[in-house]
C-alpha cells in the first residue's frame, strides 16, 4: 500500500529543493602543502570567513613535485605551498606552476623575495638563519664566517649540512665569498663542532643548555616557539638558555642576515585559478601576515606588521639583499661541498 504525500508537504519539499538549488555552493580552492596544515589552519580559516572561499588542504610531506607531475592535467591542486627557496625553484623548473599577474603581490613582497622576472613563486614568510648563543657569553655581533674561527673549537652545534636550511645558507656563502672560501669555511666549522652535525634546530638550544656547545646556527622562529612554551617544559628551558644574534656576511656592506622562506605558487593546471590567486593575495594581507608573525613566530614578508614580542626582542631584521634566485643557483654546488668535506660524518 502506497502512502500518499499530502500536497502541502509536497509543495514544501519542492520549495525547499528550489531554495537549495538557488543557493550558491561555497567556492573551493585546494592547497597542496608540505607544511603541517595545523601551522597555517588559522590563516586558512580566516580566509574562508572573509572571502567565502573554502580552502581545502592536502598535506604532502615528501614528493610534492612528483605527485603533481603524476597527476598531470587532472590534478586538483590550485596552490602549491612549501618551505625553502630550493623547493620553490624545483616546482617551477619541474613545470608544475604557472605565472600570475598581481599588483597586490608585487607591492607587498620585495622583488628579491619573489620571482620578479617570471611571476611564478612568491615568498609568504621569512625564516632568518641566526646564531644561538649561550646567555652568559658576551657576544652581541657575529658573522657567518666567524663560526669557522678556531676560538670556537669544540663549541659549535648545528643540524645536518645537507638539510635544506643549511644547504641554502652554504649556497648564500658561495654567492658572497666564492666556492673556495666556502669550502674552507665548511672545514673550519666542522673542526669546531662540539658534536656531530645532526638533529634539529631546537636541539642546538638543548645542547647549549647541556653545555655541549656555546653557539650554534638555527632558525629564529624556533626561539619564538621555545620562549613562548609553557614554563617548566623542556622547550621553555632550552629557549631561556640562549640569546639570538643575527649574523651577517663579512664582506656584505648591507650587513644583511641570510633568510629562507615559506612560499607558494599557483599550480599549472589549477582548476580554480582565480580563487588560487585570491588565496595568495590574502596570505600577504595585513591580517594574514600578522597571523604568520604571532602564531608561527615567522618574520612577515610584508613591511609594517607587528611582531610577536619575543621576535621583536631580537632587534631589527636587515635582510641579505641578494636575490633568492641567485642563492638557489648554488644549491647543488653547496650540497657537493658539504659531502666533499665530510661535514655530516
Amino acid at each position: 500500500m502506497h502512502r500518499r504525500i499530502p500536497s502541502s508537504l509536497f509543495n514544501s519539499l519542492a520549495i525547499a529543493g528550489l531554495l537549495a538549488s538557488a543557493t550558491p555552493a561555497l567556492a573551493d580552492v585546494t592547497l597542496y602543502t608540505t607544511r603541517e596544515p595545523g601551522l597555517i589552519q588559522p590563516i586558512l580559516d580566516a580566509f574562508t570567513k572573509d572571502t567565502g572561499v573554502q580552502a581545502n588542504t592536502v598535506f604532502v610531506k615528501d614528493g610534492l613535485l612528483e605527485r603533481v607531475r603524476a597527476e598531470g592535467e587532472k590534478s586538483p591542486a590550485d596552490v602549491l605551498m612549501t618551505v625553502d627557496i630550493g623547493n620553490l625553484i624545483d616546482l617551477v623548473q619541474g613545470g608544475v606552476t604557472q605565472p600570475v599577474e598581481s599588483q597586490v603581490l608585487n607591492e607587498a613582497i620585495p622583488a628579491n623575495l619573489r620571482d620578479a622576472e617570471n611571476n611564478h613563486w612568491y615568498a609568504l614568510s621569512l625564516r632568518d638563519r641566526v646564531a644561538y648563543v649561550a646567555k652568559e657569553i658576551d657576544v652581541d655581533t657575529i658573522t657567518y664566517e666567524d663560526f669557522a674561527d678556531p676560538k670556537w673549537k669544540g663549541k659549535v652545534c648545528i643540524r645536518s649540512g645537507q638539510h635544506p636550511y643549511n644547504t641554502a645558507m652554504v649556497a648564500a656563502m658561495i654567492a658572497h665569498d666564492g666556492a673556495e672560501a666556502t669550502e674552507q669555511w665548511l672545514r673550519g666549522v666542522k673542526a669546531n663542532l662540539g658534536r656531530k652535525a645532526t638533529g634539529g634546530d631546537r636541539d642546538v638550544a638543548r645542547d647549549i643548555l647541556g653545555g655541549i656547545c656555546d653557539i650554534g646556527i638555527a632558525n629564529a622562529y624556533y626561539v619564538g616557539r621555545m620562549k613562548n612554551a609553557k614554563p617548566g617544559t623542556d622547550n621553555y628551558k632550552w629557549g631561556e638558555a640562549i640569546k639570538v644574534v643575527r649574523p651577517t656576511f663579512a664582506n656584505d656592506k648591507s650587513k644583511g642576515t641570510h633568510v629562507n622562506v615559506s612560499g607558494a605558487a599557483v599550480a599549472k593546471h589549477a582548476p580554480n585559478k582565480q580563487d588560487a590567486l585570491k588565496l595568495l593575495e590574502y596570505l600577504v594581507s595585513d591580517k594574514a601576515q600578522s597571523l604568520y608573525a604571532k602564531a608561527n613566530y615567522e618574520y612577515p614578508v610584508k613591511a609594517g606588521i607587528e611582531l610577536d614580542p619575543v621576535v621583536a626582542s631580537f632587534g631589527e631584521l636587515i635582510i641579505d639583499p641578494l636575490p633568492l634566485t641567485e642563492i638557489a643557483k648554488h644549491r647543488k654546488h653547496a650540497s657537493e661541498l658539504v659531502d666533499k668535506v665530510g661535514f655530516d660524518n
Side-chain angles (χ1 to χ4, degrees), residues 26-30 41 47-48 51-56:
L26 193 67
D28 278 4
V29 61
T30 299
Q41 196 58 51
F47 168 73
T48 297
T51 67
V53 178
Q54 178 68 45
N56 304 307

Side-chain angles (χ1 to χ4, degrees), residues 33-100:
T33 174
T34 64
R35 306 194 71 185
E36 289 285 352
L39 294 176
I40 55 171
Q41 196 58 51
I43 303 174
L44 299 180
D45 290 342
F47 168 73
T48 297
K49 182 179 179 181
D50 292 347
T51 67
V53 178
Q54 178 68 45
N56 304 307
T57 57
V58 177
F59 178 47
V60 185
K61 185 176 181 180
D62 299 302
L64 176 60
L65 171 59
E66 291 75 16
R67 174 166 178 168
V68 179
R69 267 181 173 168
E71 291 174 345
E73 295 182 9
K74 295 182 179 179
S75 177
D78 294 305
V79 174
L80 308 176
M81 178 182 287
T82 189
V83 296
D84 177 60
I85 180 57
N87 291 329
L88 281 170
I89 297 295
D90 285 345
L91 293 175
V92 176
Q93 294 179 345
V96 298
T97 64
Q98 63 173 297
V100 294

Side-chain angles (χ1 to χ4, degrees), residues 130-312:
V130 301
Y132 289 6
V133 181
K135 222 166 31 172
E136 65 274 11
I137 293 179
D138 185 21
V139 172
D140 295 317
T141 61
I142 196 169
T143 67
Y144 290 104
E145 289 84 353
D146 285 339
F147 285 90
D149 190 319
K151 74 178 182 180
W152 297 115
K153 188 172 180 62
K155 297 179 179 179
V156 175
C157 281
I158 193 170
R159 73 193 305 164
S160 166
Q162 288 293 6
H163 189 280
Y165 295 162
N166 284 335
T167 303
M169 183 184 65
V170 175
M173 181 75 72
I174 294 173
H176 279 283
D177 296 347
E180 184 177 343
T182 300
E183 179 180 339
Q184 294 307 310
W185 176 78
L186 281 167
R187 293 186 187 280
V189 176
K190 178 177 171 58
N192 286 345
L193 293 179
R195 45 93 165 149
K196 184 176 179 179
T198 190
D201 282 2
R202 277 176 285 195
D203 293 333
V204 174
R206 178 199 66 190
D207 290 343
I208 289 175
L209 175 62
I212 296 172
C213 46
D214 289 341
I215 62 171
I217 301 176
N219 281 351
Y221 73 93
Y222 286 110
V223 183
R225 294 182 186 180
M226 290 186 288
K227 287 184 178 291
N228 282 297
K230 184 178 179 180
T233 61
D234 285 343
N235 273 279
Y236 183 81
K237 293 174 184 176
W238 301 341
E240 288 299 291
I242 64 171
K243 60 184 176 181
V244 168
V245 179
R246 288 196 171 108
T248 61
F249 292 97
N251 66 352
D252 177 23
K253 293 181 180 179
S254 75
K255 298 302 179 185
T257 295
H258 168 66
V259 300
N260 211 322
V261 298
S262 74
V266 174
K268 182 177 181 179
H269 301 294
N272 307 293
K273 181 178 178 180
Q274 291 307 310
D275 286 330
L277 180 58
K278 185 180 293 186
L279 174 58
L280 288 187
E281 291 180 340
Y282 187 85
L283 291 174
V284 297
S285 67
D286 287 356
K287 184 174 184 178
Q289 288 286 293
S290 180
L291 285 170
Y292 267 119
K294 295 179 180 178
N296 293 344
Y297 311 109
E298 294 175 90
Y299 214 89
V301 73
K302 187 177 185 180
I305 302 299
E306 185 178 357
L307 302 174
D308 171 82
V310 169
V311 177

